[in-house]
Amino acid sequence: VAARIREELAVKYRLRVLSSAEMIEYFAAQVREAFSLQHLLEVVTLFLVVVGVGDTLAATVAARRRQFGMMRAIGLHRTRLFRIVMLEGMAIGVLGVLLAVGLGLALSTFWVQVQFPALLGWTLEQYVPFAFVTAAGMVTVVLCLVGAFIPSVRAALLSPVAILRGD
């Protein structure tokens, strides 16, 4: 039947006759092509994480200069102040990863179990790439620490005398 359709109708009506395996491969190739730029979006997102965390912590360090100066004046060592700001950066990263994983699971569950069956009639199996999620979470936290480094150094180098004088 497939050969006869190819002979008589394929050219005239621009038809392609595919076996089940060929059709599945065709759909898989279309999905791969649709998501081919996803890695670029991941890199841009991770870059924005570094910039965003650095900017947020730089703003909080600037806003809390007086508080940090008081802490330094009563004896807090520079390394402890450095660690405080670095821990804030790490907390931002961990909370962001937890929020992203929670929302990602909720959205994927919604799409796989509700939307695809309703829109396309397809029943799919939900798959969570645990290795990728773990690696992406660790990279995100490390990048948050990288973004927190410069604000941490700036906080640690604040002069308590100059700050308390109002300079």
Side-chain angles (χ1 to χ4, degrees):
V1 172
R4 180 114 188 242
I5 291 173
R6 281 188 194 109
E7 290 172 11
E8 295 181 15
L9 302 173
V11 176
K12 182 177 179 183
Y13 294 104
R14 294 178 23 170
L15 297 177
R16 286 180 28 185
V17 180
L18 302 174
S19 67
S20 294
E22 291 170 332
M23 189 168 70
I24 289 171
E25 181 54 38
Y26 173 76
F27 285 140
Q30 293 298 309
V31 169
R32 279 192 291 274
E33 185 178 331
F35 287 101
S36 64
L37 291 179
Q38 184 175 350
H39 296 297
L40 177 63
L41 292 175
E42 291 169 1
V43 170
V44 169
T45 301
L46 292 175
F47 174 74
L48 291 175
V49 165
V50 172
V51 171
V53 169
D55 181 54
T56 300
L57 289 176
T60 61
V61 166
R64 296 185 303 172
R65 282 175 47 96
R66 193 152 179 80
Q67 179 185 6
F68 289 155
M70 295 281 275
M71 292 166 72
R72 290 274 296 120
I74 61 171
L76 184 68
H77 196 270
R78 290 180 191 276
T79 57
R80 298 254 182 199
L81 188 55
F82 176 84
R83 286 185 199 151
I84 288 171
V85 179
M86 288 295 285
L87 283 173
E88 288 178 13
M90 188 171 79
I92 290 170
V94 168
L95 289 174
V97 166
L98 291 175
L99 184 64
V101 168
L103 288 174
L105 284 173
L107 282 173
S108 69
T109 300
F110 172 72
W111 275 98
V112 169
Q113 294 182 3
V114 176
Q115 283 301 101
F116 280 130
L119 292 174
L120 304 173
W122 294 353
T123 303
L124 301 175
E125 184 178 322
Q126 189 167 2
Y127 170 74
V128 178
F130 289 108
F132 176 77
V133 170
T134 303
M138 291 170 47
V139 167
T140 300
V141 172
V142 167
L143 289 175
C144 286
L145 290 172
V146 168
F149 183 75
I150 292 174
S152 298
V153 169
R154 293 185 84 190
L157 295 177
L158 291 173
S159 168
V161 176
I163 291 171
L164 295 177
R165 253 196 257 155
D167 295 344

